[in-house]
Amino acid sequence: MGRKANWSEKPKSGPGRKARKQPAPSFPGMIGSGPGGGGGGISKHRKKKQFGGPGGKKRSSYPQNDGRKLKPGQPYRKSNESKKSSKPIDKKVTRNVRDASDSEEDEEEKQVMGSNSEGDEGMSDNEPTMETGSGSEDGSDDEAMQDDFSGSDGEAPDSGLEDGDQNGDGQKDEDKDDKLTKWHKLANINGSSDDADKIDFPEGQEPTFDVQVVVDRIKDVISTLLDFKTRREEGRSRSEYISLLTSDLCQYYGYNEYLMERIMQVFPLGELQDALDAADAPRPMTIRTNTLKCRRRELAQALIARGVNLDPVGKWSKVGLVVYSSQVPVGATPEYLAGHYMIQGAASFLPVMALGPQENERILDMCAAPGGKSTHIAALMKNTGTLLANEFNKDRAKALIGNFHRMGVKNSVICSYDGRKLPEVMKGFDRVLLDAPCSGSGVISKDSSTKTQRDAIDIQRTNTKQKELIMAAIDCLDATSQTGGYLVYSTCSILPEENEEVVALALRKRNVKLVPTGLDFGTPGFVNFQGKRFHPTMNLTRRFYPHSHNMDGFFVAKFKKFSNSNPVVKVDDEEEEEAEGSGEQE
C-alpha cells in the first residue's frame, strides 16, 4: 500500500541525459556568446535547424539592420556592447571592424575590393543569397561575414590578413595586382595585342620539337589569324603566320605539307583543329541489317542476348545499328555467319540511299568490292531484277563473291572488267553507282599512312581516273528509262579535286544535271573554291565530315541523264583537255 506521496513538496525532476550534456544557452548579442565564449554555444540540433542541415539553405543569423551599410569583410554589430569583451583582441583571429562613419576608408575599401555599392544597399541581412563552394553567402570576397558562432572550434574564421595589414593595404594590393594580371591575360585572349604574348617565330634553325610549345603556338596563331588586324605583330605578313601554322600542324598531326595545305583550304580556321582531331579518332562501329533474312528488331534482340550493347544509328536509317561494346566478336557471331548483318561504316549507307534502287531494275555497281553497297542494293531490290557487280581487282572480287553467298544475294552477276571499258560491254542500265577509288582523305582514322603518302602527283592520278570512270558510268545509263536514268557518284575524300571538279567535268561533257540526293543532312558542296567557280547546282551535292556528323568523310552527288547523245565540245574545252593531258604526262 505505502504512504501517499505529497506532490506539493516533491521537487521537480531535472533535465534528461541529453539536456544535461548541453551547455548553457547563449544568444546573439550577449557578451561572451558563441562558440568559445563564456555563455557556451549553439547546440548541433539548433545549428541544423538554423542552417537547414547539409546542403540546405542557410538562414541569416545576423540581427536586424539598424540603418548602417554592410561592407565586404565587415560583420554587422547591433550595438557597441559587442565590441566589449573580456578577452584580449587577437589580430590574427578577429575580423577587421572599422568605424562606419569613416567615409574616406569606405571609399578606399570599395576601390580595392571592387564592390558594387548599389548591390550592397539593396541587400538586407535576412535576404537569402546563393551559396558557393567556399561557404560564403554572397559568392564574393565576403568570407569574413561568417559570424563568431558559425564556427565549431571556438575561433572566428581567419581573414587571411597578416599582422600590420589589418586595413587591407598590403594583402589587398597584392590581390589587386593578381586580378589585374588575370584581366590582362583575359584581354589578350579576347583579341587585344600585348607585347607580353608575342608569338615566337623560329628563326634560322628550327628548335627541338616540344609538344606543349607547339600546341600553344597553334592556338595563338589561329587566334591571331581570326583577328589579324588587331592581333598581328608589326612587320609580320599573313603568309608568315600561315606558313608557321602549317609547319606546326604538320609536326603535331604527322601530315605532309601538301596534304595539310589542301585540308587548310577546305576547312575554316575555326573548325580546323576540330576536323584534324576528329580525323584521327576512330569512328563508332556500325552494322547494317540484311533485310533479305531478318528484321532490325529481331537482329537487335538476338545480339543483345549475346551481350552486345547497341542502338539504332539514327532516324535517317532504318537498317543501321551502332555497336558501343560487345562481349563477343561482332564479326564471328552466328548471326554474322548466317548473313543477318554486314559490318559497314555509316557513311557507306548514304550512296545507296541516294541511289534509291527499285524492284525489277537493271543496276550497275562499277566498283563493287568488298560488297557492302552491292548487298545493300540487292536488299532494296528484294532479289529482283539484275545487279551487275563489277570489280577490276580479281583478288578483291573473291571477297565480293563470299559476301554475296553469305548475305543470300541471288539476282547478281559478278564480273571483273576495267570500269572505263564497260560501255563497250553492256549499256542500258536504269541506275549506276560509282563509288570511285580516291585518296582516302576522309578515312584517315582507318589508314594513317594517307597522311604522308598522298602528294600532288597521286591526287592528279586519281583525279584523272575518276574523270574517265564517271564518263563511262554516264555512258552506261539509259536516259529513256521509265524508272531511272540516275547516277550516284561518291568518294571517301574531302578534297575538291576529287569531288566538285569531277562533277563539273561531267556536267560540261555529258547531258546530265544534278538533282537532290534525298539526304536530309550533310554540308552542301562548294560552289566557289580557291577562285574556282562551279555550277550553281553544285550545292545539291552533299559533304560529310567526321567532326560534324560523326562518320567518315564522304562526298555524294546524284545525276539525272536526260539525253543519250553527247553535247558538242567547245574548242576552249578541248584546249583545256590538251593542256591537262600534257601536264599529266610531264
Side-chain angles (χ1 to χ4, degrees):
M1 296 294 291
R3 294 183 303 169
K4 291 185 179 180
N6 188 2
W7 298 103
S8 61
E9 296 179 359
K10 187 174 181 179
K12 296 181 180 180
S13 59
R17 182 173 58 181
K18 292 184 179 181
R20 286 197 298 270
K21 289 184 178 182
Q22 294 181 357
S26 61
F27 301 96
M30 291 179 60
I31 298 175
S33 63
I42 298 178
S43 64
K44 294 182 180 179
H45 174 72
R46 189 170 181 82
K47 281 186 180 180
K48 184 175 181 181
K49 197 171 183 180
Q50 182 175 356
F51 294 99
K57 200 170 188 179
K58 293 184 180 180
R59 296 188 301 172
S60 177
S61 58
Y62 300 112
Q64 294 294 330
N65 196 347
D66 59 354
R68 292 184 294 172
K69 296 179 182 179
L70 271 177
K71 304 171 186 62
Q74 177 182 356
Y76 179 78
R77 301 295 185 184
K78 183 175 182 181
S79 63
N80 293 331
E81 295 179 359
S82 61
K83 297 181 181 179
K84 300 177 183 179
S85 177
S86 58
K87 292 185 177 182
I89 298 177
D90 187 0
K91 294 182 179 181
K92 292 184 178 180
V93 175
T94 58
R95 289 179 301 275
N96 180 24
V97 182
R98 289 178 292 176
D99 191 8
S101 62
D102 193 353
S103 59
E104 295 180 358
E105 292 183 6
D106 292 346
E107 295 295 329
E108 181 180 359
E109 184 178 0
K110 288 182 181 179
Q111 293 177 3
V112 174
M113 298 298 295
S115 61
N116 188 358
S117 59
E118 295 180 2
D120 293 337
E121 290 177 3
M123 183 175 63
S124 63
D125 294 332
N126 293 329
E127 185 178 354
T129 55
M130 293 181 63
E131 295 181 7
T132 60
S134 61
S136 61
E137 293 185 356
D138 57 356
S140 62
D141 298 333
D142 295 344
E143 295 181 359
M145 289 186 68
Q146 300 273 350
D147 208 353
D148 287 341
F149 48 79
S150 64
S152 61
D153 55 354
E155 293 184 358
D158 191 1
S159 61
L161 300 178
E162 297 290 338
D163 291 341
D165 284 340
Q166 294 297 320
N167 291 330
D169 296 335
Q171 184 69 21
K172 291 180 180 178
D173 290 340
E174 294 178 2
D175 295 342
K176 182 178 180 181
D177 295 338
D178 293 341
K179 289 181 179 180
L180 289 176
T181 305
K182 294 179 181 178
W183 293 337
H184 285 309
K185 291 181 179 179
L186 182 61
N188 291 331
I189 294 174
N190 291 335
S192 65
S193 59
D194 193 358
D195 296 337
D197 291 339
K198 289 184 178 179
I199 298 173
D200 184 16
F201 281 82
E203 303 291 345
Q205 296 182 355
E206 294 185 359
T208 57
F209 177 68
D210 188 355
V211 176
Q212 190 59 41
V213 173
V214 171
V215 170
D216 295 340
R217 190 162 56 194
I218 288 172
K219 294 180 180 179
D220 293 339
V221 173
I222 290 177
S223 61
T224 301
L225 290 173
L226 291 174
D227 191 8
F228 190 70
K229 292 183 179 180
T230 58
R231 293 183 61 88
R232 74 183 185 93
E233 298 179 17
E234 295 183 2
R236 297 286 185 183
S237 62
R238 191 179 186 87
S239 60
E240 291 180 292
Y241 283 94
I242 294 177
S243 177
L244 178 61
L245 178 62
T246 304
S247 62
D248 286 343
L249 290 174
C250 290
Q251 278 186 327
Y252 185 71
Y253 291 100
Y255 286 79
N256 59 25
E257 187 174 353
Y258 171 79
L259 189 58
M260 179 56 68
E261 288 178 353
R262 304 305 296 162
I263 292 175
M264 290 174 64
Q265 293 173 358
V266 172
F267 298 105
L269 288 174
E271 300 180 10
L272 182 59
Q273 276 192 292
D274 293 338
L276 293 173
D277 291 335
D280 289 333
R283 304 272 73 77
M285 177 183 288
T286 54
I287 60 177
R288 179 182 56 81
T289 307
N290 183 15
T291 55
L292 294 175
K293 291 189 174 183
C294 67
R295 296 181 179 180
R296 185 170 69 171
R297 179 179 297 179
E298 298 172 354
L299 175 63
Q301 291 175 353
L303 292 179
I304 290 172
R306 298 188 183 277
V308 181
N309 185 16
L310 48 80
D311 271 332
V313 73
K315 295 181 179 180
W316 55 272
S317 175
K318 297 181 181 179
V319 295
L321 292 170
V322 55
V323 178
Y324 300 112
S325 61
S326 176
Q327 298 179 3
V328 295
V330 181
T333 61
E335 288 78 14
Y336 176 81
L337 298 176
H340 290 184
Y341 64 89
M342 183 85 170
I343 300 176
Q344 188 176 353
S348 299
F349 300 176
L350 304 174
V352 180
M353 294 173 60
L355 184 65
Q358 304 295 325
E359 298 181 22
N360 300 314
E361 285 186 339
R362 299 177 65 192
I363 298 179
L364 168 64
D365 187 358
M366 292 189 70
C367 305
K373 300 179 183 66
S374 299
T375 54
H376 194 184
I377 293 173
L380 293 176
M381 295 174 67
K382 298 180 181 179
N383 265 340
T384 62
T386 304
L387 171 62
L388 180 63
N390 178 68
E391 175 54 43
F392 176 70
N393 191 337
K394 293 183 179 180
D395 293 332
R396 289 170 58 86
K398 295 178 181 179
L400 181 62
I401 295 172
N403 282 323
F404 271 35
H405 282 294
R406 183 175 62 85
M407 303 290 283
V409 178
K410 299 179 181 179
N411 64 337
S412 65
V413 177
I414 298 176
C415 59
S416 181
Y417 285 99
D418 186 353
R420 294 169 289 187
K421 298 179 180 180
L422 272 176
E424 302 174 2
V425 179
M426 187 178 293
K427 291 184 179 180
F429 290 97
D430 296 316
R431 300 172 194 262
V432 176
L433 174 63
L434 174 57
D435 185 31
C438 61
S439 63
S441 57
V443 289
I444 291 177
S445 60
K446 297 180 180 179
D447 185 10
S448 59
S449 63
T450 305
K451 296 180 179 180
T452 56
Q453 292 181 356
R454 304 303 179 189
D455 53 7
I457 297 176
D458 193 23
I459 300 299
Q460 185 61 45
R461 286 174 181 171
T462 55
N463 176 265
T464 303
K465 186 183 296 185
Q466 289 162 354
K467 289 179 179 178
E468 294 174 352
L469 286 172
I470 197 171
M471 295 300 167
I474 295 173
D475 293 340
C476 289
L477 273 176
D478 183 13
T480 60
S481 173
Q482 296 180 358
T483 60
Y486 293 103
L487 163 68
V488 170
Y489 173 79
S490 64
T491 65
C492 55
S493 174
I494 60 174
L495 302 181
E497 291 85 353
E498 301 178 273
N499 299 324
E500 281 83 0
E501 289 188 9
V502 177
V503 172
L505 180 69
L507 293 174
R508 191 167 64 249
K509 295 295 185 67
R510 295 291 186 271
N511 287 323
V512 293
K513 62 180 180 178
L514 287 172
V515 294
T517 59
L519 303 174
D520 297 333
F521 63 102
T523 304
F526 294 128
V527 179
N528 298 320
F529 181 79
Q530 296 294 313
K532 297 180 181 179
R533 292 186 178 182
F534 301 109
H535 197 271
T537 58
M538 196 69 71
N539 59 1
L540 297 176
T541 62
R542 285 293 176 265
R543 285 175 159 267
F544 303 91
Y545 300 126
H547 69 285
S548 301
H549 310 99
N550 197 21
M551 59 178 63
D552 295 329
F554 238 75
F555 176 82
V556 179
K558 187 174 182 179
F559 296 88
K560 169 67 176 176
K561 187 176 182 180
F562 54 85
S563 176
N564 287 326
S565 62
N566 297 330
V568 179
V569 181
K570 297 180 181 179
V571 179
D572 297 339
D573 295 339
E574 292 180 352
E575 293 178 356
E576 289 180 2
E577 286 184 1
E578 292 178 359
E580 289 179 359
S582 61
E584 292 169 7
Q585 293 177 0
E586 292 177 359

